[in-house]
Amino acid sequence: MTGITYDKERVHFNLAKLKVGGHNFEIDIDPDKAIAFKEGKNIGIRDILKAQKIFSDAKKGLVASEHVMQQVFHTTDPLQIAKVIIEKGNIQLSKEYRERQMQLKKKKIIEIIHTNAVDPKTHLPHPRHRIENAMEEAKIKIDEHKKAEDQVKDVVKKLRSVLPIRFELKDIEIRIPSAYAMKSYSVIKRFGNIIKEEWMQDGGWLVVIEVPGGLEEEFYDNLNSITHGNNEVRVIATKQ
């Protein structure tokens, strides 16, 4: 997706801008909906606009001339013109919006690491606050142009200078009595990928799942809760 720019000034609104024949046209937008529209999602133009007005300078509150709009777009309908501005123009994101998105990306990165990584000495997940503190200590910067998932590898690499950390996957074999087998299925599916399964002669369920290392203890807690501790588990493989 193209057409995203960043406002260097601290402003409290987000804009879509288009310059045609020396004339500026701007609209005040909901950035999430405008970006989704540019990505091809079915979003109504009316829902994107904060105000159904076409500006020549939105920051100064200057409304575009109807005469000029008619000349350029062959209409003065703000919805039709706004659609063209979003499709062909640039979306300018405010500093506040960018900062909020950066915090959301940071939170997601921390959650991915917490879920998938462990302390190699204890094989237990690092608490979220410990990961966040380590990111600050290592002076890790979040890239606002990249998805959170695409930054995890680089973040973990930098974290290793201040935090012992390793990504692990564990294959866990579970035996569940028949009384709890069906109830346990949703929990097991939620925490891992089923590698193999077998229904035993007594009606019990034997299943092997692959679980991210950071979720192992939480998985045991959930499984014990639903089976009241009536299960047998053992780790049969640990992979990095």
Side-chain angles (χ1 to χ4, degrees), residues 175-178 197-206:
R175 293 175 182 266
I176 302 171
S178 58
E197 58 181 322
E198 177 186 344
W199 290 98
M200 297 179 287
Q201 289 185 347
D202 62 1
W205 189 30
L206 173 65

Side-chain angles (χ1 to χ4, degrees), residues 168-186:
E168 285 187 351
L169 284 171
K170 296 191 176 183
D171 291 350
I172 303 174
E173 182 185 83
I174 311 144
R175 293 175 182 266
I176 302 171
S178 58
Y180 304 103
M182 296 305 295
K183 294 180 181 178
S184 302
Y185 184 81
S186 61

Side-chain angles (χ1 to χ4, degrees), residues 95-140:
K95 187 175 180 65
E96 286 80 4
Y97 178 83
R98 290 165 56 205
E99 289 174 348
R100 186 166 66 251
Q101 292 301 109
M102 290 278 280
Q103 286 303 312
L104 290 174
K105 283 187 180 181
K106 181 180 179 182
K107 184 177 179 181
K108 189 168 186 179
I109 290 169
I110 291 171
E111 190 61 32
I112 292 171
I113 294 171
H114 171 73
T115 298
N116 293 279
V118 297
D119 183 329
K121 295 179 181 178
T122 65
H123 298 281
L124 295 174
H126 289 290
R128 295 172 181 84
H129 68 84
R130 185 184 298 165
I131 298 170
E132 183 172 12
N133 291 339
M135 288 175 68
E136 293 178 3
E137 184 179 348
K139 295 181 172 55
I140 293 173

Side-chain angles (χ1 to χ4, degrees), residues 50-108:
K50 291 291 188 69
Q52 290 189 35
K53 292 182 179 180
I54 310 299
F55 299 92
S56 58
D57 190 326
K59 293 179 182 179
K60 295 180 180 179
L62 300 178
V63 178
S65 161
E66 289 193 357
H67 175 70
V68 172
M69 287 191 289
Q70 183 67 46
Q71 280 187 325
V72 174
F73 300 103
H74 308 293
T75 181
T76 58
D77 184 339
L79 296 179
Q80 292 185 39
I81 296 172
K83 184 174 185 291
V84 176
I85 293 173
I86 297 169
E87 288 176 338
K88 297 184 177 180
N90 289 320
I91 293 177
Q92 188 178 68
L93 302 174
S94 70
K95 187 175 180 65
E96 286 80 4
Y97 178 83
R98 290 165 56 205
E99 289 174 348
R100 186 166 66 251
Q101 292 301 109
M102 290 278 280
Q103 286 303 312
L104 290 174
K105 283 187 180 181
K106 181 180 179 182
K107 184 177 179 181
K108 189 168 186 179

